[in-house]
Amino acid sequence: MSTIFTQIVEGDIPARIVYEDETTIAFLDANPLEPGHTLVIPKDEYERLNDVPEDVASDLYATIHRLVPAVESAVDADATTVAFNNGEAAGQEVPHVHCHIVPRFEDDSSGPIHAVFDGPTDLADDELDEIAADIESRA
């Protein structure tokens, strides 16, 4: 079964499309956190960022790069929060990679992305060194 986003790509579900090219499409979120909240997706279904081929990831970022200033300008936003929820445990509700471009305003009181978490995790230097080395070896 295709995701709701694939159904938008295929024209089966209406959306307020703001940009489209060969590999990506962007549309206003149906349940916006702020006016202008835009979703950018690859047209093909990939559940997680880890699944997106490098060339499609490049196209996806190019579209995000193009739309951030357009969204900010359109709604006179002071800034934007640009984010992916990568996997169900991270809050991804639709199993189709999507980037949120959420306009931010000086008085919106939403706080930084750090507000999603309870606070910083206290790790010792040796733990940080081990994690860094492990990530580096897998990159």
Side-chain angles (χ1 to χ4, degrees), residues 29-81:
D29 192 304
N31 299 296
L33 298 175
E34 292 287 349
H37 180 172
T38 300
L39 300 178
V40 181
I41 68 168
K43 287 183 173 180
D44 291 335
E45 264 184 43
Y46 304 100
E47 186 171 344
R48 296 184 58 155
L49 284 169
N50 323 38
D51 304 325
V52 179
E54 193 170 324
D55 61 329
V56 176
S58 293
D59 293 345
L60 186 63
Y61 184 79
T63 299
I64 295 163
H65 185 263
R66 177 186 190 125
L67 286 178
V68 165
V71 169
E72 288 178 357
S73 179
V75 297
D76 199 28
D78 299 307
T80 45
T81 294

Side-chain angles (χ1 to χ4, degrees), residues 2-10 19-27 39-64 67 83-86 92 94-100:
S2 61
T3 68
I4 190 170
F5 294 161
T6 296
Q7 293 173 51
I8 289 171
V9 169
E10 294 172 351
Y19 178 81
E20 183 173 5
D21 61 28
E22 188 175 313
T23 57
T24 67
I25 190 168
F27 47 89
L39 300 178
V40 181
I41 68 168
K43 287 183 173 180
D44 291 335
E45 264 184 43
Y46 304 100
E47 186 171 344
R48 296 184 58 155
L49 284 169
N50 323 38
D51 304 325
V52 179
E54 193 170 324
D55 61 329
V56 176
S58 293
D59 293 345
L60 186 63
Y61 184 79
T63 299
I64 295 163
L67 286 178
F84 290 89
N85 294 318
N86 192 39
Q92 183 179 2
V94 178
H96 187 139
V97 167
H98 55 287
C99 175
H100 294 263

Side-chain angles (χ1 to χ4, degrees), residues 97-110:
V97 167
H98 55 287
C99 175
H100 294 263
I101 301 174
V102 183
R104 299 297 305 273
F105 304 90
E106 290 292 332
D107 61 353
D108 68 17
S109 72
S110 293

